[in-house]
Amino acid sequence: MDGVNFFLTFHLLILCSSTVLVPVKANNNETDLYALISFKSLISGDPLGMLSSWNNTLPHCQWTGVMCGRSHTDRVTALVLNSKELSGHISPSLANLTFLQKLSLSDNKLTGSIPDDLGRLSRLRFINFSINSLEGRIPSTLGNCSNLKVLSLRNNNLGGTIPADLANCKKLTIVNLRKNVLVGAIPPEFGSLQQLTALTLGNNNLTGTIPPELGNLTNLQGLLLHFNTFKDSIPSSFGKLQSLESLYLYDNNISGKIPNSLYNISSIIDLELSTNQIHGTLPSDICKYFPDLQTLYLYENQLSGEIPISLPNCSFLSSIDIQHNSFTGTIPPSIGKLSYLYWLNAANNQFSAKIPNDWDFF
Ligand SMILES: *[C@@H]1O[C@H](CO)[C@@H](O)[C@H](O)[C@H]1NC(C)=O
Ligand SMILES: *[C@@H]1O[C@H](CO)[C@@H](O)[C@H](O)[C@H]1NC(C)=O
Ligand SMILES: *[C@@H]1O[C@H](CO)[C@@H](O)[C@H](O)[C@H]1NC(C)=O
Ligand SMILES: *[C@@H]1O[C@H](CO)[C@@H](O)[C@H](O)[C@H]1NC(C)=O
Ligand SMILES: *[C@@H]1O[C@H](CO)[C@@H](O)[C@H](O)[C@H]1NC(C)=O
Ligand SMILES: *[C@@H]1O[C@H](CO)[C@@H](O)[C@H](O)[C@H]1NC(C)=O
Ligand SMILES: *[C@@H]1O[C@H](CO)[C@@H](O)[C@H](O)[C@H]1NC(C)=O
Ligand SMILES: *[C@@H]1O[C@H](CO)[C@@H](O)[C@H](O)[C@H]1NC(C)=O
Ligand SMILES: *[C@@H]1O[C@H](CO)[C@@H](O)[C@H](O)[C@H]1NC(C)=O
Ligand SMILES: *[C@@H]1O[C@H](CO)[C@@H](O)[C@H](O)[C@H]1NC(C)=O
């Protein structure tokens, strides 16, 4: 009896241990497994040992940074390895993770280019490769990612032009390409990205006229185009940006006047137009149009006329910098009553403070 029991137990043990080991392989989608192994093979540096769990004692869905689906339990839906000090290249094999929705490899030391093949990932919603040293161009094939909502590639060395094909990703809500070496103009097609809430293209070498089509982005809250070489005027179509809170156009070569339509954006909080060639005057009742204004940076332009008398009525104003313009007259005395104000620079203008009262704002 004992012998039979022992035999059965022994047999069950074998069965059990094989049911522990075998399903790991049987449930694996080999395609995903090989894609991940290939990804790991191009990671040349992993000082924190983040990929040491990526071995065959664990199913790939339990590897660090890998998440699999609820219904397709063996298919990789997310690969998230941020701030892991990884160096090496991004393998094109990731394009074989056909269920992938989220790909986040930000804040590492990755080099090389973004594989064109990633455009095959039709389920992809989120790409974050920010803060790496990626170079080459932004693949136009990413325009095939029709479910893409977030594309964040800031702080890399990506060059070339911004592919107009990206405008095919109609679900994009956030595009951040800041701090790269992108050249050329903003594709006017971007004006069709109706869901876009933030477009950040600052600190690149972009040129040309800012496309009036961007005025169609009625959900846009942040339009950050600073530190480029954009020229010509601010498009008057920007008056349609009825959700806009932050407009950064500073450090460009923008000329002309501030279009009247801009005063239609009552949602604006942060208006930064410094270091351009903008001329003209400001409306005296500016705070009627911008009741929520907190930051007004207009320094290093050619603005003239008086400082708007209503400025003390923008009760949330915390920073005003209008130095190096040609403003005349006096600074409104009640500006000193703004309770949030911590920064006021009006140097290098043509103000006159003839009588002691004119300095009351202090
Ligand atoms: C693995 O995924 C590939 C690509 O989606 C598919 O063609 C294949 O049938 C899958 N294999 C298994 C075993 O699920
Ligand atoms: C494989 O991964 C497991 C889980 O992280 C770990 O305990 C084990 O040491 C790894 N094996 C090797 C050979 O690295
Ligand atoms: C995707 O997987 C197939 C089959 O394993 C392989 O032939 C192909 O090279 C892979 N593609 C990439 C881009 O690695
Ligand atoms: C992308 O990654 C960076 C760096 O880790 C992070 O600061 C940023 O919030 C991420 N972007 C999004 C949209 O999650
Ligand atoms: C992606 O888009 C390009 C054009 O942008 C097209 O030529 C290609 O066939 C599409 N499909 C894939 C899988 O890359
Ligand atoms: C981008 O502009 C900077 C500053 O103007 C310049 O030093 C750099 O050479 C430019 N890079 C490219 C790729 O045009
Ligand atoms: C977008 O804006 C441009 C210029 O402002 C305009 O000509 C065009 O008709 C607009 N397109 C849509 C779809 O609203
Ligand atoms: C800025 O624009 C002016 C014309 O308005 C032009 O003469 C100048 O070269 C431009 N500067 C740069 C850096 O592009
Ligand atoms: C401001 O908006 C109103 C209504 O939204 C519109 O009638 C008017 O033409 C706009 N003004 C300018 C200067 O765009
Ligand atoms: C400032 O606001 C007050 C109260 O809303 C208003 O009576 C006054 O006319 C405004 N002043 C200016 C200069 O717009």
Side-chain angles (χ1 to χ4, degrees):
M1 286 298 269
D2 276 343
V4 173
N5 255 339
F6 174 77
F7 178 79
L8 279 175
T9 314
F10 184 66
H11 212 81
L12 275 173
L13 262 177
I14 290 178
L15 274 177
C16 283
S17 53
S18 47
T19 50
V20 169
L21 287 175
V22 172
V24 170
K25 271 214 160 343
N27 287 338
N28 266 351
N29 187 304
E30 305 268 314
T31 310
D32 282 16
L33 176 65
Y34 291 133
L36 291 171
I37 289 171
S38 168
F39 171 79
K40 184 182 177 180
S41 74
L42 292 190
I43 298 299
S44 51
D46 177 17
L48 305 179
M50 295 318 294
L51 303 187
S52 62
S53 69
W54 289 38
N55 64 46
N56 54 19
T57 64
L58 282 179
H60 69 259
C61 288
Q62 289 172 34
W63 292 355
T64 301
V66 177
M67 272 141 272
C68 290
R70 286 210 188 92
S71 39
H72 302 90
T73 52
D74 58 335
R75 304 307 310 267
V76 178
T77 53
L79 179 59
V80 179
L81 293 163
N82 301 310
S83 310
K84 304 292 189 244
E85 297 182 26
L86 300 175
S87 50
H89 292 191
I90 300 175
S91 170
S93 70
L94 291 183
N96 269 344
L97 300 174
T98 47
F99 280 68
L100 199 64
Q101 293 177 17
K102 180 168 184 175
L103 179 53
S104 197
L105 305 173
S106 74
D107 190 21
N108 282 296
K109 299 181 162 71
L110 299 169
T111 50
S113 57
I114 300 174
D116 285 343
D117 306 74
L118 295 186
R120 298 200 333 249
L121 295 171
S122 58
R123 289 181 173 85
L124 204 55
R125 295 180 194 192
F126 183 102
I127 296 178
N128 193 348
F129 294 156
S130 290
I131 320 183
N132 279 291
S133 301
L134 299 170
E135 53 196 26
R137 303 171 73 97
I138 300 171
S140 57
T141 51
L142 291 183
N144 290 353
C145 298
S146 53
N147 283 301
L148 198 60
K149 287 182 154 188
V150 173
L151 179 63
S152 185
L153 306 175
R154 76 172 163 92
N155 296 69
N156 278 289
N157 299 317
L158 297 165
T161 54
I162 301 174
D165 284 353
L166 284 181
N168 295 333
C169 309
K170 292 288 183 257
K171 294 185 182 167
L172 276 171
T173 59
I174 295 176
V175 173
N176 191 342
L177 309 178
R178 195 173 86 86
K179 252 186 181 245
N180 279 288
V181 288
L182 298 166
V183 297
I186 302 176
E189 290 86 348
F190 270 43
S192 67
L193 292 171
Q194 276 303 310
Q195 314 280 316
L196 213 52
T197 59
L199 179 60
T200 305
L201 306 176
N203 300 77
N204 277 291
N205 286 21
L206 297 168
T207 51
T209 303
I210 299 172
E213 285 80 359
L214 296 188
N216 295 337
L217 299 173
T218 48
N219 288 305
L220 207 58
Q221 292 167 16
L223 180 57
L224 315 185
L225 307 179
H226 54 287
F227 275 114
N228 280 291
T229 328
F230 293 119
K231 58 171 185 168
D232 301 332
S233 319
I234 302 171
S236 62
S237 64
F238 276 18
K240 294 187 288 176
L241 297 171
Q242 291 292 308
S243 306
L244 198 65
E245 294 176 358
S246 298
L247 179 61
Y248 292 5
L249 300 177
Y250 59 90
D251 282 273
N252 273 292
N253 200 15
I254 294 167
S255 53
K257 295 181 178 174
I258 297 175
N260 277 337
S261 60
L262 210 72
Y263 300 110
N264 250 2
I265 314 180
S266 57
S267 50
I268 204 91
I269 291 173
D270 194 347
L271 182 62
E272 308 198 16
L273 310 178
S274 311
T275 317
N276 279 295
Q277 328 257 6
I278 299 168
H279 67 271
T281 58
L282 300 177
S284 63
D285 50 357
I286 188 170
C287 290
K288 197 170 88 187
Y289 309 116
F290 296 159
D292 297 330
L293 194 64
Q294 291 178 17
T295 302
L296 181 64
Y297 285 168
L298 303 173
Y299 58 84
E300 291 172 5
N301 276 295
Q302 292 144 24
L303 293 162
S304 56
E306 303 216 338
I307 298 212
I309 184 113
S310 74
L311 219 47
N313 266 12
C314 295
S315 41
F316 300 111
L317 255 181
S318 60
S319 320
I320 307 173
D321 199 324
I322 54 167
Q323 62 177 308
H324 288 281
N325 276 289
S326 303
F327 288 112
T328 51
T330 54
I331 297 177
S334 49
I335 213 160
K337 293 195 184 115
L338 285 168
S339 47
Y340 296 105
L341 194 66
Y342 71 91
W343 180 253
L344 171 64
N345 194 339
N348 291 292
N349 276 289
Q350 292 158 25
F351 298 121
S352 51
K354 292 180 221 84
I355 51 169
N357 267 0
D358 291 345
W359 293 103
D360 276 358
F361 62 88
F362 279 112

